[in-house]
Amino acid sequence: MAPFNFTHSDASTFILMGIPGLEAAHIWISIPFFTFYIVSLLGNVTLLSVVGKEQTLQKPMYLLLCMLALTDIATPTFVVPKALGIFWFNLKGITVAGCLTQMFFLHTISVMHSSTLVTMAFDRYVAICNPLRYATILSNAQIAKLGLVGFIRAVLFILPLPLLLSQQTFCANRIIPHTQCEHIAMVKMVCGDIRVNRIYGFVLTFVINGFDLTFIALSYGLIIRAVLRISSHKAHQKALNTCTAHICVMLTYYTPTFFSILTHHFGQGIAPYVHIILADLYLLIPPMLNPIIYGVKTKELRDKVVKYTCRSSADTKFTQSSADTRDDISSGLQCPSGNCQIVREYVNQH
């Protein structure tokens, strides 16, 4: 099927090219994009539903998982629909305001995601190093406050990026060789002085990633020190198991982030589409894997998911079985003449 061509070229519009060099494969590339997105939505919505329904899971650790799930739903939602529009229907046009808005939300959610990982590291530190005071240090109200602080931090740090770019003049060539509007790509299209934009973007990356990773490293350094002081091997294992899922989630998030940054700055010999695919995978893979990792590694959550899944399946089977039984009774009734319809109605109602 030939793609529709709704590409605009007026002065107030940018052109997102998708993945230049792989245009012929856009349809095939859209399959993993769409699959990753659907799996991510199903996994994170399931996690939110189970925690919302199960009273025993409504405690700090699982509230943090819900915060992580919300960012994991939002991140691909700001990328995948537009990317699929490019791949399937050649909808490459996006307004300047739309591009700045997408950039703002993508980077804001990314910073919020990093803040959540920092809070989760602090949660594990308190649970292992100061368990007797855990309930007073990290209550549900405290988690909500930390989440609000993380959100405010993200907005305050990222808001200057679109504000600075909105004051700039963009060149005539408004083609973005990407599936999304990211800060680096938009800065390259500015015709004026971009030193302030570049410096702020660099400082922002250094400050946020530097602070967050330092805090996480410090938390786990203290955790390891506390674990090594425990004489029981079983206690060692139990303490480390509580951190395994969080460590896996951090690796799925920070590893592709730094790999993408390194290839962007030092991989001049790498084909451009490799940079784009890496940047897209960084936004698609972690949201898909996070609920799976926590579902596998966290026994309490896994048991509740199985419980609700089995209950839903059992309810469906019971409903169907009841309907079949009513049909069998109705069809096989021997009733006095003139009363069959009345009896059938009674059976169907009960």
Side-chain angles (χ1 to χ4, degrees):
M1 181 180 68
F4 299 105
N5 192 350
F6 296 125
T7 300
H8 302 285
S9 58
D10 58 87
S12 62
T13 304
F14 290 133
I15 306 298
L16 287 168
M17 295 303 295
I19 306 180
L22 296 178
E23 288 87 353
H26 273 179
I27 292 297
W28 297 107
I29 294 172
S30 70
I31 296 174
F33 267 65
F34 182 73
T35 304
F36 293 165
Y37 182 50
I38 295 300
V39 173
S40 173
L41 287 182
L42 289 175
N44 288 291
V45 169
T46 299
L47 190 152
L48 290 171
S49 300
V50 171
V51 174
K53 291 178 181 178
E54 190 61 45
Q55 195 72 26
T56 59
L57 295 182
Q58 293 176 12
K59 47 192 178 184
M61 175 182 173
Y62 295 102
L63 293 182
L64 286 170
L65 285 184
C66 288
M67 289 167 56
L68 193 69
L70 289 173
T71 62
D72 285 340
I73 290 172
T75 299
T77 299
F78 282 109
V79 175
V80 174
K82 180 59 182 176
L84 294 179
I86 297 170
F87 295 153
W88 290 346
F89 308 113
N90 207 32
L91 293 169
K92 298 180 178 180
I94 183 170
T95 63
V96 174
C99 208
L100 291 172
T101 301
Q102 186 191 48
M103 183 197 71
F104 169 74
F105 280 110
L106 277 177
H107 290 298
T108 299
I109 293 167
S110 178
V111 175
M112 183 65 192
H113 189 107
S114 186
S115 299
T116 305
L117 292 179
V118 171
T119 309
M120 293 173 80
F122 180 63
D123 170 78
R124 293 300 84 203
Y125 160 73
V126 176
I128 293 173
C129 299
N130 208 345
L132 297 180
R133 297 186 58 201
Y134 180 85
T136 56
I137 296 175
L138 284 176
S139 62
N140 289 351
Q142 290 288 68
I143 293 297
K145 290 177 183 177
L146 289 172
L148 180 60
V149 169
F151 175 73
I152 293 173
R153 182 188 82 144
V155 171
L156 292 179
F157 274 138
I158 299 302
L159 188 58
L161 292 179
L163 291 180
L164 287 170
L165 282 173
S166 65
Q167 305 303 314
Q168 297 286 354
T169 301
F170 294 100
C171 300
N173 182 11
R174 299 192 170 203
I175 296 176
I176 302 177
H178 214 304
T179 57
Q180 57 186 282
C181 296
E182 61 177 10
H183 181 250
I184 297 175
M186 294 191 69
V187 166
K188 290 179 178 178
M189 293 188 298
V190 174
C191 287
D193 187 1
I194 59 173
R195 282 179 297 177
V196 175
N197 301 74
R198 285 187 177 277
I199 291 172
Y200 184 77
F202 176 78
V203 171
L204 194 63
T205 301
F206 178 79
V207 169
I208 292 176
N209 289 329
F211 173 81
D212 291 356
L213 285 173
T214 299
F215 194 91
I216 290 171
L218 179 62
S219 297
Y220 273 94
L222 295 173
I223 288 172
I224 292 171
R225 189 180 70 172
V227 169
L228 291 176
R229 289 178 177 178
I230 303 173
S231 57
S232 170
H233 177 73
K234 185 176 181 180
H236 277 183
Q237 193 67 30
K238 184 177 180 180
L240 291 175
N241 281 341
T242 63
C243 302
T244 303
H246 184 232
I247 292 172
C248 291
V249 166
M250 286 193 301
L251 289 175
T252 61
Y253 178 74
Y254 286 112
T255 302
T257 300
F258 283 105
F259 193 70
S260 179
I261 292 172
L262 289 173
T263 55
H264 181 83
H265 287 286
F266 305 107
Q268 285 77 12
I270 300 176
Y273 63 80
V274 175
H275 297 285
I276 298 169
I277 291 174
L278 285 175
D280 287 331
L281 291 179
Y282 149 68
L283 296 173
L284 291 172
I285 298 296
M288 179 185 68
L289 291 181
N290 289 346
I292 297 173
I293 291 171
Y294 274 101
V296 171
K297 293 292 184 180
T298 310
K299 184 179 185 300
E300 188 177 8
L301 178 61
R302 182 174 68 248
D303 292 344
K304 298 302 180 183
V305 171
V306 172
K307 168 189 169 182
Y308 281 102
T309 303
C310 292
R311 177 186 294 179
S312 176
S313 177
D315 289 346
T316 302
K317 291 180 180 178
F318 178 77
T319 303
Q320 183 62 41
S321 176
S322 299
D324 293 342
T325 302
R326 286 198 302 268
D327 291 343
D328 292 342
I329 294 174
S330 296
S331 62
L333 281 173
Q334 299 294 328
C335 52
S337 61
N339 294 329
C340 287
Q341 183 62 31
I342 297 174
V343 176
R344 287 194 180 96
E345 289 177 359
Y346 176 83
V347 171
N348 287 332
Q349 291 173 2
H350 294 79

